[in-house]
Amino acid sequence: MTTTSGLFRRGRAAGMTLLLAAVMATSLSACGFHLRGDGGHYTLPFPTMYIGLPESSPLAIDLKRNIRVNGNTTVVNSPKDADGVVEVLSNPETTKTKTILSLNSNGRVRQYLLQYTIVFRVLDRQGNELLGPTTISLSRPIDFNETQLLAKEQEEALLYKDMQTDLVQQMMRRMAAVKTTRMSVPGPGPAPQDPSAAPAVPIL
């Protein structure tokens, strides 16, 4: 026989799940960007690319995987070998923040705001800037309950992972829009005229 407390616990868990889904949907729609996931394919203008992040960085791993999915771009291990170099000016994995968003009537934290921001630019092999310093800043609200610390830690990790996925897709979109420039080789000047073809000057 199902007890009233059991029903309450299950109802509360379902409510939390729905709340998390609603928070994510609201946040994504608010920023005007829709996640494309693995189905978001972008044609990058670089045969080879270098990503200026540590090899073990989860963001780097996710970004490199998305680049390779396109099939047209190879990720290399040295910027000297790359046609496009992603230089990270501010790494979101070391600068992500968690700030108080609101308090309850007792003065205790009710909500936090998670922020995940990257500043990067794209260079060519010669160090010329193809995409100037670009900032992508994402945020997600998270409710806080001191009686559910473990669950809230898991929810926080999930929200940061969601922002990482969103961030990678936005970076891919911006890199795909980069217009590469090549040094133009001056064409040959006008061909010298054949003197014999010059019009005769009438003799007065």
Side-chain angles (χ1 to χ4, degrees), residues 28 33 35 53 59 62-63 90-93 116-120 134-138 140 160-175:
L28 291 177
F33 187 86
L35 287 180
L53 285 168
L59 176 59
D62 198 5
L63 182 57
S90 177
N91 186 347
E93 294 174 335
Y116 195 74
T117 302
I118 190 172
V119 181
F120 74 101
T134 301
T135 301
I136 302 175
S137 186
L138 304 171
R140 301 287 188 271
Y160 274 123
K161 177 61 178 175
D162 174 70
M163 285 190 282
Q164 176 185 300
T165 300
D166 192 346
L167 181 70
V168 167
Q169 291 299 311
Q170 293 203 40
M171 289 182 69
M172 292 291 292
R173 184 177 65 182
R174 284 163 172 75
M175 292 189 296

Side-chain angles (χ1 to χ4, degrees), residues 48 53 80 94-95 128 143 163 165 184 186 190:
T48 58
L53 285 168
K80 296 180 180 179
T94 58
T95 60
N128 301 310
D143 292 333
M163 285 190 282
T165 300
S184 58

Side-chain angles (χ1 to χ4, degrees), residues 15-144:
M16 288 296 297
T17 302
L18 291 173
L19 177 61
L20 177 57
V23 166
M24 289 183 177
T26 301
S27 300
L28 291 177
S29 61
C31 69
F33 187 86
H34 301 282
L35 287 180
R36 299 179 65 173
D38 292 336
H41 295 290
Y42 300 91
T43 301
L44 301 180
F46 309 105
T48 58
M49 289 198 77
Y50 170 80
I51 307 302
L53 285 168
E55 288 290 327
S56 59
S57 160
L59 176 59
I61 294 170
D62 198 5
L63 182 57
K64 290 176 182 179
R65 181 181 62 81
N66 274 266
I67 291 174
R68 294 187 180 105
V69 162
N70 290 275
N72 299 320
T73 302
T74 302
V75 178
V76 296
N77 296 322
S78 170
K80 296 180 180 179
D81 301 326
D83 299 290
V85 176
V86 177
E87 184 179 80
V88 177
L89 306 176
S90 177
N91 186 347
E93 294 174 335
T94 58
T95 60
K96 61 185 179 183
T97 61
K98 177 181 178 181
T99 57
I100 296 174
L101 184 61
S102 63
L103 303 174
N104 60 22
S105 58
N106 296 322
R108 295 184 177 182
V109 176
R110 185 178 66 180
Q111 275 189 324
Y112 283 106
L113 183 67
L114 309 179
Q115 292 181 300
Y116 195 74
T117 302
I118 190 172
V119 181
F120 74 101
R121 63 177 182 164
V122 179
L123 311 175
D124 66 10
R125 191 188 298 267
Q126 289 75 37
N128 301 310
E129 194 172 76
L130 300 177
L131 176 65
T134 301
T135 301
I136 302 175
S137 186
L138 304 171
S139 62
R140 301 287 188 271
I142 180 173
D143 292 333
F144 178 72

Side-chain angles (χ1 to χ4, degrees), residues 188-194:
Q193 294 184 352
D194 184 353

